[in-house]
Amino acid sequence: MKKFLAIILAAMMLLAVAAPALAEGETFLWDNFDDRDPNSKPELAPNGVNMWWDNWANLRAKNEDGAIKIDYRPKAFDTEDYDSEEDYFAHAADWMANWGEAVNMWALDGISYCKYLTIRIKGAEGGEEAKLIMDWHPEDSKFYAARFSDLVLADGSHPAITTEWQDLVIDLEASGFPGMTNAFHIRAFAKCVIWLDEITFSEAVAPIDCTSAETILAGMTLPETGKPGDLPIKDFLAELE
């Protein structure tokens, strides 16, 4: 009987140790932009792990009351700069304005793949979702990209950015994204202004084996969609005209 109780106690202790990775309500902060100067990359992200790089290309950005205001200004097509539109769209650094960060999420204690990504966001005019792309490239070897307006929210609807703050709870699997990344971008292919506040992953679904890049990538079972430049950007721009 004592041996049986010891086995039960050991099993309960094992579950207690494993529970934090899958605990209900668990969240993993990406960035909250508090006191964040977009002109100076911090060594550590607000979650305490290394921020490897950040991108602020073809835009203007500043911190406002603990949130980041991003004024996207992609470079327009100009016949003096390009031989053709095809040449223009072949240079993503021009047609696309880019905010992005690489954060060592794999180093977080108990890190897990998650069901949701919550982005606190507002726009200057509303409707900015039609001009934005979200894309990830975990470990710089797998690429996931989608137009922001095509993302799927937890209630099955699609994002609609307004001039008021709101929390967009994105269903990652339904949107075609794996449940975690270490490189994250919100890019714009047309001029617009947004504010970003807290970005968090939530509702852990499976712990991540971080012993090697191979084990991390093994958990990313969704089909890749390619880089942002593989999306039909010309069609997206035509819809805005």
Side-chain angles (χ1 to χ4, degrees), residues 85 88-89 95 130-131 147 189-190 231-241:
E85 281 195 346
Y88 166 72
F89 284 109
W95 61 254
K131 302 176 180 179
R147 194 174 181 180
F189 52 85
L231 296 172
I233 302 301
K234 289 178 66 174
D235 295 343
F236 296 165
L237 285 169
E239 292 177 18
L240 299 177
E241 295 176 356

Side-chain angles (χ1 to χ4, degrees), residues 44-45 53-54 60 74 82 107 115 123 130-131 142 154 171 177 189:
L44 299 179
W53 49 255
D54 59 355
R60 301 291 185 271
Y82 303 97
K115 183 172 178 58
K131 302 176 180 179
K142 290 194 173 187
D171 185 320
F177 287 81
F189 52 85

Side-chain angles (χ1 to χ4, degrees), residues 6 23 28-29 48 61 67 145-146 160 219 230:
F28 300 100
L29 176 67
D230 297 326

